[in-house]
Amino acid sequence: MYSNSNKNSAHQHNHQHGSCCATTACSDQAKKVSEHLHNHEHGKACSHKHSHSHDTQETQAPELLASQRFSWVVNGMDCPSCARKIETAVSKIPEVKQAKVLFATEKLVVDADTDIRSAVIQAVNQAGFALRNSDSSQKAAKSSRWKEFAPIITLSLMMLISWGISHINPSFGRIAFIITTVIGLVPIVTKAWQLIRSGTPFAIETLMSVAAIGALFIDATAEAAMVLLLFMLGEMLEAYAAGRARRGVSALMALVPEEALLVKNGEKRTVPVSDLRPGDIIEIAPGGRLPTDAELLNSFASFDESALTGESVPVERMQGEKVPAGCLSVDRAVQMKVLSEQGNNAIDRILQLIEEAEERRAPIERFIDRFSRIYTPLIMLFSALVIIIPPTVFSQPWETWIYRGLTLLLIGCPCALVISTPAAITSALAAATRRGALIKGGAALEQLGLITTIAFDKTGTLTAGKPQVTDVQPAENISESQLLTLASAVESGSHHPLAKAILQYAESKKVNITEAEQRKALAGVGVEGQLDGKRILVSAPGKLPANTLSEHWKHKIVQLEDGGKTVVAVMHDEQFTGLIAMQDTLRQDAIDAIRLLKDQGIKSVMLTGDNPRAATAIAGQLGIDFRAGLMPEDKVKAVIALNKDHNTMMVGDGINDAPAMKASSIGVAMGSGTDVALETADAALTHNRLTGLSEIITLSRATHNNIRQNIAIALGLKGIFLITSLLGITGLWMAVLADSGATALVTANAVRLLRIKLK
């Protein structure tokens, strides 16, 4: 609104557009952020045709490339390489325009112009995986423990029996090991054949089948059986570790109950959540969770909103206030009015954001993915050369080098390498979400750890965004109430923090407020309107025409601004009528946030449209540099200049901060921010807590370290066993440990990020 306020350019006075009011209430932030993100995307997606009712919540990620979208939940995935196998199989269907597996939420999304559901299900089944509808009311069927562990228990018992027979009769023992190997190979060879037919010839199942069959041919029967047993054990550990990595996302999904108590015509009955529609009345018992976004009908109630904001203190809600899904009614039964459509509540939108995050992969993840695609074929070629060259060129025994070549073949599986980055990123994104921070993908997460400078907006970011009037100084022949009447007339109806401060002060003084006509914002200047045919202008003093202010008033302005106050001048019929001064206060956590960032070696600078003297007062309390009197385009230039020598983060909440966020290395929006700021930002602090910046930077740096450790484990173990296998020191079963063991270690290491302490 005003050039000496931080919200100048778009001027949230715009009454016709119903602009947003900055607020610091933590309880509103998660819901607000997720609503903004949803509304922005929903506007683009709603025009598309959907194939069936439960697809509507899938239109967020990735971008729709056809007239219809189909989605399923995938069962049986252990790692991102499994996701790639499914994508490859489905992409072979001619009618499919796009196939994408969202590993974090285990969803398959397929775009096509025709109904290809049966073909997709058949292709995925042929690849060895199972699909189920993504309807939230349908849950995965839980297999029994016996069915889950039967193959590995059976193979273990057969191994023990074979080992016992071999001690009694070596010949029968050899036959027993062959039978054990063949039985163990059946499901693996079947899966390998399915994957080869679906377009994935270099899967671990293929390598394992070749190695085990080859071992039988060179009479290494016991080792062939041991290789299969270790492989099954490794697969089971991988599945467990992958489940742990997705547990943060699963915890979010579990927040929404399956049933709700519907109140209709005075009667109460339990209905599936999928049956609820906006306008329905539901009752939530004490300790119950909201199944949907809803409006409180009782006079007041307390809700635990920690699932969305990370804040453990219950929030007091009043009648008419909105409460997001997943929140818990603390101490009383309450009646709520349903607000959100099925699949579009706050939890759903956060899950959609996590799904979208998989599209924004970190550069290192993209490199690893490209590398892994050529790694396995190269290892297979190398294994073939190891088998052929020594016997043919150097007259070495064929049996020895076939054995070593088969051992090398098992090292060719890239599972541990492929999962090293996404496992860490998935865990980190889930950890951030738990703490009330939404990070839009691996690329943003990686960039956070490289930040060396943070540029802060002032109003609503470093300060509370709720200024209060401190001084009213009318000109001669003008009373204080007359000055407030004129200012309030053009500010009436606005949600801008400075406008609200003037209106609240006028109301406290019992000033009669008459709304001006033709109110409009003047970008970078102020706001104007017409009252009784005369123009009223509320402006930054520096934007008034030359010679409007006398030296006396200029001196007054300097005095007020030296005290850290924001000053506006009021003009009536082109005549100066007085000054109104307001002062904002620092957010309670601003000093702590700057101190934590300084401890991390990060420099802070404040960019504000406020006057230099008011900026000096705020920056002095924080001990940081500042640039004052900036228009939105000036903020962009300042950020670009900082970016030349530093990796710069821009933190803001206003529409005028959005261009600077886009120009920075990474933009972070406060939870109280406007739609544009939240949509432009790469991350958002839903809890609206500045100390969260230090937390997500710590998390990013920890993720960097975790990824480096994972890559070192994956490549290090394979490198060691590559050398020892060539030298004949290690055999087939150790090669399996190098693969399955590395994958399990890498995933378990990534899971540690879920429990990392950020303070």
Side-chain angles (χ1 to χ4, degrees), residues 278-306:
D280 287 347
I281 307 301
I282 57 175
E283 184 169 296
I284 310 298
R289 289 193 181 275
L290 270 68
T292 177
D293 297 347
E295 178 184 314
L296 180 64
L297 299 180
N298 296 64
S299 56
F300 69 92
S302 296
F303 292 90
D304 178 353
E305 303 186 356
S306 58

Coordinates of all heavy atoms in Angstrom, one line a residue, residues 278-306:
P278 N -20.1 -31.1 1.4 CA -20.1 -29.8 2.1 C -21.5 -29.4 2.5 O -22.5 -29.7 1.8 CB -19.6 -28.9 0.9 CG -18.7 -29.8 0.1 CD -19.4 -31.1 0.1
G279 N -21.6 -28.9 3.7 CA -22.9 -28.5 4.3 C -23.4 -29.5 5.3 O -24.3 -29.2 6.1
D280 N -22.9 -30.8 5.2 CA -23.3 -31.8 6.2 C -22.9 -31.4 7.6 O -21.9 -30.7 7.8 CB -22.7 -33.1 5.9 CG -23.4 -33.8 4.6 OD1 -24.5 -33.3 4.2 OD2 -22.8 -34.8 4.1
I281 N -23.7 -31.8 8.6 CA -23.3 -31.5 10.0 C -22.8 -32.9 10.6 O -23.5 -33.9 10.5 CB -24.6 -31.0 10.8 CG1 -25.2 -29.8 10.1 CG2 -24.1 -30.7 12.2 CD1 -24.3 -28.7 9.9
I282 N -21.7 -32.8 11.2 CA -21.1 -34.0 11.9 C -20.8 -33.7 13.3 O -20.6 -32.5 13.7 CB -19.8 -34.5 11.1 CG1 -18.8 -33.4 11.1 CG2 -20.1 -35.0 9.8 CD1 -17.4 -33.8 10.5
E283 N -20.7 -34.7 14.1 CA -20.3 -34.5 15.5 C -19.0 -35.3 15.8 O -18.8 -36.4 15.4 CB -21.4 -35.1 16.4 CG -21.1 -34.9 17.9 CD -22.3 -35.2 18.8 OE1 -23.4 -34.5 18.7 OE2 -22.3 -36.1 19.6
I284 N -18.1 -34.6 16.5 CA -16.8 -35.2 16.8 C -16.8 -35.4 18.3 O -17.0 -34.4 19.1 CB -15.7 -34.2 16.4 CG1 -15.8 -33.8 14.9 CG2 -14.3 -34.9 16.6 CD1 -15.8 -34.9 13.9
A285 N -16.5 -36.6 18.7 CA -16.4 -36.9 20.2 C -15.1 -36.4 20.8 O -14.1 -36.1 20.0 CB -16.5 -38.4 20.4
P286 N -15.0 -36.2 22.1 CA -13.8 -35.8 22.7 C -12.7 -36.8 22.4 O -12.9 -38.0 22.5 CB -14.1 -35.8 24.2 CG -15.6 -35.7 24.3 CD -16.1 -36.4 23.1
G287 N -11.5 -36.3 21.9 CA -10.4 -37.2 21.5 C -10.6 -37.7 20.1 O -9.7 -38.5 19.6
G288 N -11.6 -37.3 19.4 CA -11.8 -37.7 18.0 C -11.2 -36.8 17.0 O -11.0 -35.6 17.3
R289 N -10.8 -37.3 15.8 CA -10.2 -36.4 14.8 C -11.2 -36.0 13.7 O -12.1 -36.8 13.4 CB -9.0 -37.2 14.2 CG -7.8 -37.3 15.1 CD -6.6 -37.7 14.4 NE -5.4 -37.8 15.3 CZ -4.7 -36.8 15.7 NH1 -4.9 -35.6 15.2 NH2 -3.7 -37.0 16.5
L290 N -11.0 -34.9 13.2 CA -11.9 -34.4 12.1 C -11.6 -35.2 10.8 O -10.5 -35.3 10.4 CB -11.7 -32.9 11.8 CG -12.5 -31.9 12.7 CD1 -12.1 -32.0 14.1 CD2 -12.4 -30.5 12.1
P291 N -12.6 -35.7 10.2 CA -12.4 -36.4 8.9 C -12.4 -35.5 7.7 O -12.1 -36.0 6.6 CB -13.7 -37.3 8.9 CG -14.7 -36.5 9.6 CD -14.0 -35.8 10.7
T292 N -12.6 -34.2 7.9 CA -12.7 -33.3 6.8 C -12.5 -31.9 7.3 O -12.6 -31.7 8.5 CB -14.1 -33.4 6.1 OG1 -14.1 -32.4 5.0 CG2 -15.2 -33.2 7.1
D293 N -12.2 -31.0 6.4 CA -12.1 -29.5 6.9 C -13.6 -29.1 7.3 O -14.5 -29.4 6.5 CB -11.7 -28.6 5.7 CG -10.2 -29.0 5.3 OD1 -9.6 -29.7 6.0 OD2 -9.8 -28.5 4.2
A294 N -13.7 -28.5 8.4 CA -15.0 -28.2 8.9 C -15.1 -26.9 9.6 O -14.1 -26.3 10.1 CB -15.5 -29.3 9.8
E295 N -16.3 -26.3 9.8 CA -16.5 -25.1 10.5 C -17.2 -25.4 11.9 O -18.1 -26.2 11.9 CB -17.4 -24.2 9.7 CG -17.8 -22.9 10.4 CD -18.8 -22.0 9.5 OE1 -18.5 -21.9 8.3 OE2 -19.8 -21.6 10.1
L296 N -16.7 -24.8 12.9 CA -17.2 -25.0 14.3 C -18.5 -24.4 14.5 O -18.7 -23.2 14.2 CB -16.2 -24.5 15.3 CG -16.6 -24.7 16.8 CD1 -16.7 -26.2 17.1 CD2 -15.6 -24.0 17.7
L297 N -19.5 -25.2 14.9 CA -20.8 -24.7 15.2 C -21.1 -24.4 16.7 O -21.9 -23.5 17.0 CB -21.9 -25.7 14.7 CG -21.9 -26.0 13.2 CD1 -23.0 -27.0 12.9 CD2 -22.1 -24.8 12.4
N298 N -20.3 -25.0 17.5 CA -20.4 -24.7 19.0 C -19.8 -23.3 19.2 O -19.1 -22.7 18.4 CB -19.6 -25.7 19.8 CG -20.2 -27.1 19.7 OD1 -20.2 -27.6 18.6 ND2 -20.7 -27.6 20.8
S299 N -20.1 -22.8 20.4 CA -19.6 -21.4 20.8 C -18.1 -21.4 20.8 O -17.4 -20.4 20.4 CB -20.2 -20.9 22.1 OG -19.9 -21.9 23.1
F300 N -17.4 -22.4 21.3 CA -16.0 -22.5 21.4 C -15.6 -24.0 21.6 O -16.4 -24.8 22.1 CB -15.4 -21.6 22.4 CG -15.7 -22.1 23.8 CD1 -14.8 -22.9 24.5 CD2 -16.8 -21.7 24.5 CE1 -15.1 -23.3 25.8 CE2 -17.1 -22.1 25.8 CZ -16.2 -23.0 26.4
A301 N -14.3 -24.3 21.3 CA -13.7 -25.6 21.5 C -12.2 -25.5 21.4 O -11.7 -24.7 20.7 CB -14.4 -26.6 20.6
S302 N -11.5 -26.5 22.0 CA -10.1 -26.6 21.8 C -9.7 -27.7 20.9 O -10.3 -28.8 21.0 CB -9.4 -26.8 23.2 OG -9.6 -25.6 24.0
F303 N -8.7 -27.5 20.1 CA -8.3 -28.5 19.1 C -6.8 -28.7 19.1 O -6.0 -27.7 19.2 CB -8.7 -28.1 17.7 CG -10.2 -28.2 17.5 CD1 -11.0 -27.1 17.7 CD2 -10.8 -29.4 17.1 CE1 -12.4 -27.1 17.5 CE2 -12.2 -29.4 16.9 CZ -13.0 -28.3 17.1
D304 N -6.3 -29.9 19.1 CA -4.9 -30.2 19.0 C -4.6 -30.2 17.5 O -5.1 -31.1 16.8 CB -4.6 -31.6 19.6 CG -3.2 -32.0 19.4 OD1 -2.4 -31.3 18.7 OD2 -2.8 -33.0 20.0
E305 N -3.9 -29.3 17.0 CA -3.6 -29.1 15.5 C -2.1 -29.5 15.2 O -1.6 -29.1 14.2 CB -3.9 -27.7 15.1 CG -5.4 -27.4 15.4 CD -5.8 -26.0 14.8 OE1 -5.0 -25.3 14.2 OE2 -7.0 -25.7 14.9
S306 N -1.5 -30.2 16.1 CA 0.0 -30.5 16.0 C 0.3 -31.3 14.7 O 1.4 -31.2 14.2 CB 0.5 -31.2 17.2 OG -0.2 -32.4 17.4

